Amino acid sequence: MSFKSLLNKFDKKFIFFDGAMGTMLQKYGLQVGQLPEVFNVTNPETIKKIHRQYLQAGSDIIIANTFGANELKYNFSSYTIKDVITAGVKIAKEEAGDKLVALDIGPTGQIMEPTGSLSFQSAYKLFKNQVVIGEKAGADIILIETMSDLYEAKAAVLAAKENSSLPIFCTMTFQQDGRTLMGTDPKTMVFTLEALGVDVLGVNCSLGPGELQGIVDEILKYASIPVMVQPNAGLPRYDGKNTIYDITPEEFSKNILLMAKKGVRIFGGCCGTNPEFIKTIIGELKDVLPREVREKNYTAVCSSTDTVFLGNEIKIIGERINPTGQETYKKELREGKVNYIKKEAMAQKSEGAHILGLNVGLPEIDEVKMMEKAIKAVQQVIQLPVNIDSPNSKVLEAGARIYNGKPIINSVNGRKKSMEEVFPIVKKYGGCVVALTIDEEGIPDSAEGRVKIAEKIIKTAACYGISKKDIIVDCLTLTVSAQQKEVMETIKAVKLVKEKFGVKTILGVSNISYGLPRRCILNRTFLALALNAGLDLPIINTQDQGVKDIIAAFEVLTSIDQDGKNYITKYGSKSKSEKAKWGDNILPEVQKKDKKGEKKLNTAIIEGMEDEAVEITSLLLKSEKEEDIVNFHIIPALDEVGRQYEEGDIFLPQLIQSAEAVKKSFEIIKKNILKNGEKNIEKGKIALATVKGDIHDIGKNIVKVLLQNYGFEVIDLGRDVDIDKIVDVVKKNNIKLLGLSALMTTTVINMKKTIEAVRENKLTCKIVVGGAVLNQNYADMIGADYYARDAREAVKIAEKIFSV
Ligand code: B1M
């Protein structure tokens, strides 16, 4: 069924999905650790019963029990995903009658590259398999849901789009801070998923319907397609044994009614809901008419976490990741390296770029591969949208496919061949596209000629289903030294294009001054002229402060910057935070104060630059003690990273990236410590673990290496360690000293439980605890024998215990 016919079926009506499957299955006997989809084969009657109850409650679409049926999870099961998906869809179809069945696709359960280890291509393959099996089994719709990683959602949407013709619904899961676990905010989700061509988007799971209202408002504000919401039955809480969902169907429905009045078209329930919830919301909405879905007129591009709107304020594109005239960059491109790209990305961001230009064009390299690598590298270190710049459509496609978010695709031009190649890419992956006013006849001298080409491109784009709001016209900056008369034609063309078509405009500013002295004077003046003509997106060198000053002044003079607020913030104060905003003071204070060399290791860790962290650590080891490098370089850097994370300046992927840099740096430190250590002395055996629920192990690993260095044998149980396992190891190895580490307020309780379990088992070992969240008081409270502030103190305690 096409999405259009599906919508026709529900003309002027709300669409109701069903509610939870997982929590219902638990009620019907699903055990912890059991794969829910296996019930499709082993207990089909139970699944049918649940579907039937939802259909009786009034659901228009029921969701097949296939949420987690991917090959990663079914690796060790005796059932294949083909068995469970086919059975799941068929059971649902049998029950559904004239109602519809959605193939349910949930997250893979693994973290995607570059943060984790699952590649985009591997995720795509997993989803493709599910889609193919599900469609063959008879699903009517594909529902991609509970996604907390936009990148994973993109892999799933592409898999659905490229391997089936079914309508695609996609919903993501948000946390209380209004972002997904990987940091995506609602508008970034909307622009990216819409650009990818999903039919319906929205939010599921996450929170209760009350807590979701703000997120739903944000989604509705930007979405031009139908919005779907499937909340949990309230905020989940844990009572020590079970997860509890508190709210009643009535309370749930009141919030659903609010959402319906605001414009949500499609409803259902997630964790904790049951047929009663669905019945009650249907009753609540029976006299309400759905609001019409309206096309919104925003032009926006996104990284995976942030959206940049084009149009109102001037948005700067950083120009320096371009091989033209950059010998170091060219050399790195030939060697397949990305250090220059990462450094430049971060530098241009701190200099005020809103979007990052990315060009990897060298004739002697494999540009397609390099563009993929470059995009991953950029998205690993900064959260700015990217302008993927290449005249080669294959490179554009590779970039657009691997990109996480909604990019600028630069460029198409008025030649038939170019439009035939580039527009399908824009349509398939989504993006704003730069339209160069050049065609088979070359660049017209006159402004009018360029406007004509712009018109042709805009009209042709419409035939591919690409909206005018996603087209950014480039009227082409010609070099004043060679084509002086055409300079003002470019300015005129910008003005005409804006007036006639109302599209956004872009210009590479620095082209204007090639071959002349004091280029910045010409660049700045040309920029001022172009801004006045209606330029939205100047591509500039962000190091040129004069260019940025002109933009700030222009925005005040034209009332874009109302009451000159931004201008005053930038130029009127010397306070620390404002200087930081302006880019004068980007590095955190902690890095500035330190001794020689330290600033760099801090920076490398904060920026997550693994190679640099390794390089600098090796250098530091020549002049500083290992312990000092940890205490005065690594820990302050991680503290800064933690602070930025807490304040929402960075998100989980960057936090992980910094931890990776520390891991690499610490590997060298560890080698050094062990090389210089007293390996031959055997002082005693110590067991170490990070407690259950806690995966932080950097601190524990430092403690381990230092203890080994002082001649102790360490049994390292790792992180997130089961209490039983710890007890077992202590017992079997006759351990005299047990060390426990915990970094989160939420896991200290497991430290307490571990200590209690050790005591209950009548084990006499001493227990030392550590970790940033602890102090002596806390250690006493939870019954530990010792508290160690740092690794050195842990060694002192061990020496004391084993000397007795
Ligand atoms: Co997370 N994390 N993290 N994190 N992380 C913290 C701890 C946090 C304070 C950040 C923040 O919000 N400001 C916060 C906890 C908040 C709280 O509990 N109140 C937090 C959070 C919330 C999370 C997640 C929930 C994020 C998410 O998923 N949304 C998630 C948790 C997952 C889980 O555990 N279930 C998470 C994940 C991660 C990463 C995976 C990305 C990464 C860990 C990588 C790894 O360890 N392999 C990470 C990191 C790096 C941090 C920060 C930035 C740094 C921690 C660290 O390694 N410090 C941290 C913020 C911070 O602490 N500034 C943060 C350096 C290390 C050397 O210090 O471990 O204290 P520390 O060890 C010291 C001493 O304490 C002592 O000696 C060591 C050396 O001197 N010590 C012992 C430690 N253990 C000892 C044992 C001993 C003796 C001494 O005897 C046995």
Side-chain angles (χ1 to χ4, degrees), residues 181 635 638-639 642 645-646 652 655-656 659 688 693-699 702-703 719 739-741 743-745 768 770-772 788-791:
L181 179 66
I635 294 182
L638 280 171
D639 281 345
Y645 176 74
E646 201 165 72
L652 194 56
L655 188 69
I656 294 178
L688 272 188
D694 202 320
I695 62 163
H696 298 88
D697 65 357
I698 296 176
I702 293 175
V703 174
R719 52 191 192 171
L740 298 174
S741 180
L743 263 273
M744 300 199 293
T745 42
V768 52
R789 197 171 36 89
D790 55 23

Side-chain angles (χ1 to χ4, degrees), residues 386-400:
V386 173
N387 169 38
I388 304 171
D389 181 8
S390 174
N392 179 339
S393 60
K394 287 205 170 60
V395 178
L396 293 179
E397 170 148 30

Side-chain angles (χ1 to χ4, degrees), residues 599-616:
K599 176 178 168 184
K600 283 187 173 168
L601 184 54
N602 277 335
T603 315
I605 290 171
I606 291 168
E607 291 171 347
M609 302 286 277
E610 295 171 28
D611 293 348
E612 278 185 15
V614 167
E615 224 172 87
I616 301 163

